Amino acid sequence: MERGKMAEAESLETAAEHERILREIESTDTACIGPTLRSVYDGEEHGRFMEKLETRIRNHDREIEKMCNFHYQGFVDSITELLKVRGEAQKLKNQVTDTNRKLQHEGKELVIAMEELKQCRLQQRNISATVDKLMLCLPVLEMYSKLRDQMKTKRHYPALKTLEYLEHTYLPQVSHYRFCKVMVDNIPKLREEIKDVSMSDLKDFLESIRKHSDKIGETAMKQAQQQRNLDNIVLQQPRIGSKRKSKKDAYIIFDTEIESTSPKSEQDSGILDVEDEEDDEEVPGAQDLVDFSPVYRCLHIYSVLSARETFENYYRKQRRKQARLVLQPPSNMHETLDGYRKYFNQIVGFFVVEDHILHTTQGLVNRAYIDELWEMALSKTIAALRTHSSYCSDPNLVLDLKNLIVLFADTLQVYGFPVNQLFDMLLEIRDQYSETLLKKWTGIFRNILDSDNYSPIPVTSEEMYKKVVGQFPFQDIELEKQPFPKKFPFSEFVPKVYNQIKEFIYACLKFSEDLHLSSTEVDDMIRKSTNLLLTRILSNSLQNVIKRKNIGLTELVQIIINTTHLEKSCKYLEEFITNITNVLPETVHTTKLYGITTFKDARHAAEEEIYTNLNQKIDQFLQLADYDWMTGDLGNKASDYLVDLIAFLRSTFAVFTHLPGKVAQTACMSACKHLATSLMQLLLEAEVRQLTLGALQQFNLDVRECEQFARSGPVPGFQEDTLQLAFIDLRQLLDLFIQWDWSTYLADYGQPNCKYLRVNPKTALTLLEKISRE
């Protein structure tokens, strides 16, 4: 009983403890719940505690459900009210937006009207204030208007005086107005404006000078040409390239007496209206074409305004720009001489003006400035001439350009400008001139050689004979004694080529005139150019003719004869150059002509071509050979093709009578050797598999015909049997087989004096294998 009560008491106590733990769990922070739960698990009744906890959770869930059920209808009603409020709020927003739009539209005209009224009242106030100030400042404005009128009419000096009155007399009377302060502040600007207006004359002057520089330069160069002609005719004094004439001398030449008052300009253009002068009338001084008064006036105004340095800098800067434009050559300048002439005229005109300014304005430009401009102009001009002259392919244009450059240099030299570099550059152009001459003479020589008939020149009268001798230095006493008609040994291209070489020398001499070169330098230049003509142009032309496919033996023979006579004429060309340059050939470092070498080379080439041509002709005849190698008939005459070949050789060597003996002999020996070699190859060629003694007999007759030709002496000068030796190999081989003398051949083989010494055993064996004795 007691035990039951004790158990009940313990159960109540445990239930109370569990109740306390549940309250602590409900009221305690989650982070501190650990110790509470540990006390549950420390006891042994945690199962009952879990049941108790589950019961408590279910109680709380029922309470939460009751609470939610109680407040749900209020939540739904609140949401419904809120949705109604949103609709009303949207309507209110639309009403406010519409009201704002109507208000903006209705108020727009009012705003515009208010702005117009504001501007109108502002204008009225400004006008009223302006009228009051203008009434007070009317004398100042009148003075200012007067200043403007003076500036508009280009009365610069009165404008400066009016500006002084305005600054020192009128403006102080209204100094308490801001308007006056503005005027005072504008006075420096007015001075600048006066300076700018006064500068307009100078700008017009500079622009006109730029446009008319070529006219000024043309006049100056005409005057220089007249003076040079006068010096050459009257004084006969050579000009020294490095000498600089004085300014006084220059003005004697170029300037007439200058009037005390400046001539009236055309709209202040700075260029007077001067009619073109006839060539035979005196050309006016270049400075007389220019009215320099705009420069003087503007310089004086800037000096009064203490701005002379500014004016000087501006003038020099503008003239430098114009100099760069003047020095820029047109792209097609090299096409015509007028392009170069206009370019030079502009440069001369520019420096004529600058030289006059240098000597009449007391410091507007100085010598250092002029020298700097000239140095720049000289370098750019030389560079332009080098570039454009390289495009020139016409020697006449190059020669005219050289004369124009010399005149250009002479003109500027009179004004004191150093021009030595121009003459140095002309020596470079001289090389270009030589190249253009060589190209021109290439065509000349080609035409002469192509049009020549390569036949001796026939003459039927004394006049014709003297005409040819006058064109070419030729002397032959035997030919002179012969009656007319007769022939020169050379063809027409000899005197033509000789005279063209002289024309080339004359053309070279023309370029050296007025270049201040010594006679030795001129002589050296002519000789070097002539050597190029001979060794490069004439030599190539002759080689081209010799190497032509259709060249014949007659033409080749005539070329050898012609080059022989041209070679002999080289000494006359040497004398010709000596006579025109007055430099003796014995002078140290004198260049020798290479004509002899040139003509020897051409002659050797023609000789080689003759040998080759002859061999080709022989080959053509041999191609006509048609032997019946199996014939049994014994022939009694040589083959037709060989008879024709021998006839051709006889006629050909008959033409060689005018050739040097060695050339004719070499050609004849070469032809015979080639003929013998070709006949041997014909006999031994692989296609001839078998031959009879009858065919060999016919071949022997052909060889005998060749030997007869060799014995006949087609070309004089050979010893008795020299030419026949070309056929000795064939002769011994044929004798061996026709006589069938093998016992002698075998018995004497290897002995120095054997009968068949020139028969090669291999050759004999090859031919023996082909012999058919049936």
Side-chain angles (χ1 to χ4, degrees), residues 181 216 329 403 411 431 441 457 471 500 609 636 659 737:
K181 186 177 184 305
I216 300 168
N403 294 329
T411 305
D431 298 333
W441 257 260
I457 301 175
Q471 294 176 346
Q500 284 302 322
E609 195 66 24
N636 55 8
L659 285 177
F737 276 88

Side-chain angles (χ1 to χ4, degrees), residues 691-722:
L691 55 86
T692 64
L693 289 177
L696 200 62
Q697 185 64 38
Q698 178 63 47
F699 193 82
N700 183 54
L701 291 174
D702 293 342
V703 174
R704 289 188 182 280
E705 186 72 19
C706 295
E707 290 173 330
Q708 178 63 32
F709 168 74
R711 282 194 299 271
S712 67
V715 173
F718 285 110
Q719 296 182 359
E720 294 181 359
D721 298 332
T722 302

Side-chain angles (χ1 to χ4, degrees), residues 21-127:
I21 291 171
L22 289 174
R23 286 197 300 271
E24 286 184 6
I25 290 173
E26 291 175 348
S27 61
T28 304
D29 188 17
T30 306
C32 301
I33 202 171
T36 304
L37 294 177
R38 187 178 293 112
S39 63
V40 174
Y41 286 94
D42 288 343
E44 297 178 356
E45 301 294 334
H46 57 275
R48 294 180 61 187
F49 175 78
M50 290 301 297
E51 294 175 357
K52 192 98 173 168
L53 180 60
E54 289 292 334
T55 303
R56 181 64 61 90
I57 289 172
R58 286 194 296 270
N59 291 335
H60 281 297
D61 287 340
R62 284 192 295 269
E63 290 178 1
I64 290 171
E65 185 178 357
K66 289 179 181 180
M67 183 64 70
C68 288
N69 291 333
F70 178 78
H71 291 286
Y72 176 74
Q73 186 61 41
F75 172 74
V76 172
D77 293 340
S78 298
I79 293 300
T80 303
E81 291 297 328
L82 185 60
L83 291 174
K84 291 180 180 180
V85 170
R86 185 177 68 177
E88 295 298 327
Q90 185 63 36
K91 291 180 181 179
L92 180 61
K93 178 181 178 182
N94 293 336
Q95 291 176 358
V96 170
T97 302
D98 186 58
T99 302
N100 178 67
R101 184 173 61 254
K102 291 180 180 179
L103 179 61
Q104 293 295 333
H105 179 72
E106 295 296 333
K108 185 175 182 181
E109 295 181 359
L110 180 60
V111 171
I112 293 173
M114 290 298 294
E115 285 295 329
E116 291 177 351
L117 178 61
K118 178 181 177 182
Q119 291 295 329
C120 183
R121 288 180 178 177
L122 181 60
Q123 290 175 358
Q124 287 178 348
R125 185 168 63 251
N126 290 341
I127 291 172

